[in-house]
């Protein structure tokens, strides 16, 4: 008996050979089935699902961006003008957060506070046909943003129109004033002139409805054209010298008038004083004579002696020489040896 299982049977051998291989293949496939099932259980990538999510997120971000881009803030010192298709529909002047319609409305910012506009120099003719160069400035502000945007379109255009009005009024007003009155601070009308210019310019701005207001117009400096500056300076010097000479002449005349009045008053005072002194002296002499008369009337003999002695004082001096008899009463009086009765009797004789 042969030890080979397929001995003598070739068909059986071939069937057995290929059958074993198919069986092994089936076993291998059976062994790999669980792995295939495990792979199928993992989540698969779905492009449609993630594409929709990305679109939704993009739309949300775009909406938020559009909303943020159309929010605007109004500050305390500014206006926000809202325009729709170029036409002004409203403006905001209260501080806060506001929103405009996207893609349709636009916002323009205008200042709310006072502004200073430095104007360009301009040559103007005065009443006495003198040419001067005026350099001034204006203080102004926006009062109606809607009118400004509608009629002037921008701040630059509004300032340009304001400057035209100011120089127009300046030419008219300064053309009615002489050159000396403009440059002379003592006789200058600049205070009232600024008020007149401001009032008239505001009237013109309100007529054209530019939505701005001029608060004040001031002349910063007045210069002369170079070609006539030297001649004007010489004329000014000559005028000042004439004025100075006039003041000196008036001062001398006033001095002479004061001196003459003073001398006259002094002479009047001296004459009055002399008159009063003479009256006082006359009254004093009269009173003295009265007293003398009263005194001498009480003793006539003494008065006679006194009068005699007074004549001695007038007739006898240091160099006087008198030749009289020694026994005469006059000599005795001089010698002082006579009694009173003898003296009186001698004098009476």
């Amino acid at each position: 008996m042969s030890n080979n299982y397929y001995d003598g049977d070739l068909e059986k051998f071939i069937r057995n050979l290929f059958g074993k291989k198919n069986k092994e293949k089936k076993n291998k496939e059976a062994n790999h089935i669980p792995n295939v099932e495990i792979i199928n259980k993992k989540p698969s990538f779905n492009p449609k699902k993630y594409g929709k999510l990305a679109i939704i997120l993009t739309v949300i971000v775009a909406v938020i961006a559009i909303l943020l881009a159309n929010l605007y803030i109004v500050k305390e010192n500014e206006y926000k003008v809202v325009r729709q298709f170029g036409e002004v529909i409203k403006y905001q002047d209260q501080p806060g957060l506001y929103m405009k319609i996207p893609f349709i409305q636009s916002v323009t910012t205008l200042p709310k506070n006072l502004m200073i506009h430095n104007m360009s120099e301009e040559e103007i003719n005065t009443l006495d046909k003198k040419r001067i160069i005026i350099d001034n400035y204006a203080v102004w502000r926006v009062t109606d943003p809607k009118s400004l945007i509608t009629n002037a379109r921008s701040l630059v255009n509004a300032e340009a129109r304001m400057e035209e009005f100011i120089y127009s009024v300046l030419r008219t007003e300064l053309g009615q004033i002489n050159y000396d009155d403009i440059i002379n601070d003592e006789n200058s009308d600049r205070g009232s002139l600024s008020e007149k210019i401001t009032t008239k310019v505001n009237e013109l701005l309100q007529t054209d409805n530019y939505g701005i207001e001029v608060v004040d117009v001031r002349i910063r400096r007045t210069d002369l054209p170079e070609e006539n500056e030297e001649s004007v300076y010489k004329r000014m010097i000559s005028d000042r010298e004439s004025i100075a000479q006039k003041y000196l002449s008036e001062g001398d005349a006033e001095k002479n008038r004061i001196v003459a009045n003073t001398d006259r008053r002094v002479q009047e005072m001296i004459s009055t004083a002399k008159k009063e002194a003479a009256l006082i002296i006359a009254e004093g002499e009269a009173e003295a004579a009265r007293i003398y008369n009263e005194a001498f009337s009480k003793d006539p003999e003494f008065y006679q002696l006194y009068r005699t002695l007074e004549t001695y004082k007038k007739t006898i001096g240091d160099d006087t020489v008198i030749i009289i008899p020694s026994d005469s009463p006059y000599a005795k009086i001089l010698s002082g040896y006579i009694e009173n009765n003898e003296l009186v009797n001698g004098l009476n004789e």
Side-chain angles (χ1 to χ4, degrees):
M1 187 174 180
S2 179
N3 294 328
N4 192 347
Y5 180 75
Y6 302 105
D7 186 30
D9 193 345
L10 181 60
E11 185 179 356
K12 184 178 180 181
F13 173 76
I14 293 173
R15 188 173 57 251
N16 189 29
L17 178 63
F18 287 99
K20 189 180 288 186
K21 290 182 178 179
N22 290 331
K23 186 176 181 180
E24 290 177 358
K25 185 178 179 180
K26 290 179 179 180
N27 290 335
K28 288 181 180 180
E29 289 176 358
N31 291 332
H32 286 289
I33 289 174
N35 293 333
V36 174
E37 291 177 355
I38 293 173
I39 292 174
N40 291 333
K41 289 180 179 180
K42 292 182 178 180
S44 61
F45 176 74
N46 190 349
K48 293 182 179 180
K49 181 178 179 180
Y50 285 102
K52 292 180 179 179
L53 181 60
I55 293 173
I56 292 173
L57 292 176
T58 303
V59 171
I60 293 173
V61 172
V63 171
I64 294 174
I66 292 172
L67 291 177
L68 293 177
N70 289 276
L71 290 174
Y72 61 93
I73 299 174
V74 179
K75 299 180 181 179
E76 293 182 354
N77 61 341
E78 65 182 12
Y79 297 103
K80 292 292 186 180
V81 182
V82 180
R83 290 192 281 186
Q84 183 170 318
F85 300 114
E87 182 181 355
V88 178
I89 59 174
K90 64 179 180 178
Y91 68 89
Q92 302 290 346
D93 58 354
Q94 297 299 322
L97 182 64
Y98 300 89
M99 178 177 288
K100 64 182 180 66
I101 300 175
F103 310 112
I104 298 178
Q105 296 179 343
S106 60
V107 177
T108 303
T109 302
L110 294 176
K112 193 176 181 180
N113 53 318
L114 293 176
M115 294 172 287
I116 297 177
H117 176 58
N118 293 314
M119 303 176 61
S120 58
E121 295 181 352
E122 188 76 11
E123 188 173 308
I124 294 175
N125 293 325
T126 61
L127 180 62
D128 50 356
K129 307 304 179 183
K130 299 295 177 57
R131 291 186 302 162
I132 59 174
I133 298 175
I134 298 296
D135 181 16
N136 58 349
Y137 67 93
V139 181
W140 67 289
R141 63 187 172 191
V142 178
T143 56
D144 189 351
K146 184 176 181 180
S147 299
L148 187 146
I149 297 297
T150 302
N151 299 315
R153 300 297 179 186
S154 65
L155 285 176
V156 176
N157 294 336
E159 285 182 338
R161 295 298 296 160
M162 177 183 67
E163 185 170 340
E164 291 178 4
F165 289 150
I166 290 174
Y167 274 127
S168 175
V169 176
L170 268 174
R171 290 189 188 94
T172 302
E173 294 297 329
L174 295 183
Q176 302 174 3
I177 303 175
N178 290 325
Y179 174 76
D180 293 338
D181 294 334
I182 296 175
I183 65 173
N184 192 351
D185 291 336
E186 294 180 358
N187 300 325
S188 180
D189 248 354
R190 290 187 183 179
S192 59
L193 179 62
S194 297
E195 296 178 0
K196 291 179 181 178
I197 295 173
T198 301
T199 302
K200 292 184 177 181
V201 170
N202 283 326
E203 291 176 355
L204 295 174
L205 291 172
Q206 290 175 3
T207 301
D208 292 346
N209 196 20
Y210 282 110
I212 62 176
E213 177 189 11
V214 176
V215 178
D216 193 12
V217 176
R218 291 289 174 178
I219 298 176
R220 184 188 290 112
R221 189 180 64 215
T222 56
D223 292 330
L224 296 170
E226 295 181 358
E227 57 270 17
N228 63 347
E229 185 174 351
E230 186 65 26
S231 61
V232 172
Y233 283 159
K234 291 181 179 179
R235 187 178 64 81
M236 289 174 62
I237 293 173
S238 177
D239 291 343
R240 294 301 180 271
E241 289 178 350
S242 299
I243 293 173
Q245 188 61 41
K246 177 183 177 182
Y247 287 158
L248 290 174
S249 300
E250 291 177 353
D252 291 338
E254 184 67 14
K255 171 190 171 183
N256 295 331
R257 185 183 65 79
I258 293 173
V259 170
N261 290 335
T262 303
D263 291 342
R264 179 178 58 79
R265 292 181 62 186
V266 168
Q267 292 299 325
E268 290 176 355
M269 293 173 65
I270 292 174
S271 300
T272 302
K274 287 182 178 180
K275 179 180 178 182
E276 293 177 353
L279 292 175
I280 293 173
I281 291 173
E283 293 176 356
E285 289 179 351
E287 182 68 16
R290 185 185 63 79
I291 294 172
Y292 283 141
N293 291 330
E294 290 181 357
F296 292 146
S297 62
K298 294 180 179 180
D299 191 351
E301 296 178 355
F302 174 77
Y303 176 71
Q304 188 66 30
L305 176 62
Y306 175 76
R307 294 289 295 174
T308 302
L309 294 176
E310 286 295 322
T311 60
Y312 291 166
K313 292 167 65 176
K314 295 179 179 181
T315 57
I316 300 175
D318 295 335
D319 298 329
T320 304
V321 177
I322 299 176
I323 300 173
I324 56 176
S326 59
D327 57 348
S328 68
Y330 199 82
K332 291 181 180 180
I333 291 175
L334 291 176
S335 300
Y337 296 128
I338 191 169
E339 295 294 335
N340 290 334
N341 291 330
E342 293 179 358
L343 174 61
V344 172
N345 293 329
L347 293 174
N348 292 330
E349 293 175 0

